[in-house]
Structures are given as structure tokens and as C-alpha cells.
Amino acid sequence: MTAYSDVTIWLIIVGLGIGTFVLRFSFLGLIGDRPIPAWVLRHLRYTAVAVMPGLIAPLILFPAATDGAADPVRLSASVATVALGLWSKNVLVAIFGGAATLFAAQYLIG
């Protein structure tokens, strides 16, 4: 593991802070009080739907618990979660059904 000096770590933190500020200001500060076109609003509505799979997929396909190897327990739980969500159209049913599948599969498969 590479050891970074204190100055390097602070430069990275400050750089990331400036980058985050500029990214947010470019959207909120410059466009903030202007009317946004309907097509942009329609696309922004799906931002969370687009971000969530990007956050969750690596945890399912390359879990740290198995050193990145595919895990049938997590795959079965994710398939059950998606299937229950599509079938029931209820987030809570999907969450608790997926969790129950995960715990049951861990108990049965190991």
C-alpha cells in the first residue's frame, strides 16, 4: 500500500471539494432560478433510477465478502428482489422479500 504524505492527502481532499462545488454550482448556481425545459425535467426524474443500479450492481456481482467472486447467495437474493418488486409493485415487499431470500440462501447454501 502506498503511503501518502499529509500534504498530499489534504490536496486530494481540497481538490475533491472544489470539484464537487464546481459540479454542483454549474447546475444549481447557474441554472437555479431559470425555468428548466420539460425534456430536462423528464430526464432528471429518472436520475435515482439510473444511479441505484450503478451503486448496487458491483455489490452483487463482485462482493467484497467473496473477494470479488460471483456469489450464488447474493445473485439469488437480487433476482428475488427484482422479481418481487415487479410482481408486487411494492418497495417494502421487494426489500423484505430480498432480505428473507438472502438469509435463507445463506443458511441453506452457506
Side-chain angles (χ1 to χ4, degrees):
M1 181 172 170
T2 304
Y4 295 104
S5 68
D6 290 343
V7 174
T8 303
I9 291 173
W10 279 108
L11 286 175
I12 291 171
I13 291 171
V14 169
L16 289 174
I18 291 171
T20 300
F21 176 78
V22 168
L23 186 64
R24 292 178 186 206
F25 184 76
S26 68
F27 186 73
L28 298 174
L30 298 177
I31 303 175
D33 57 348
R34 296 182 184 150
I36 298 175
W39 65 271
V40 174
L41 291 175
R42 187 173 56 243
H43 286 88
L44 288 175
R45 192 178 324 149
Y46 299 109
T47 301
V49 176
V51 168
M52 289 304 288
L55 294 173
I56 295 171
L59 299 174
I60 295 170
L61 298 176
F62 313 108
T66 60
D67 292 329
D71 185 17
V73 171
R74 286 168 177 78
L75 291 173
S76 63
S78 63
V79 169
T81 302
V82 170
L84 286 170
L86 291 173
W87 175 70
S88 68
K89 308 288 187 212
N90 187 329
V91 174
L92 293 178
V93 169
I95 290 172
F96 289 115
T101 304
L102 177 68
F103 291 124
Q106 282 180 335
Y107 179 76
L108 294 174
I109 298 173

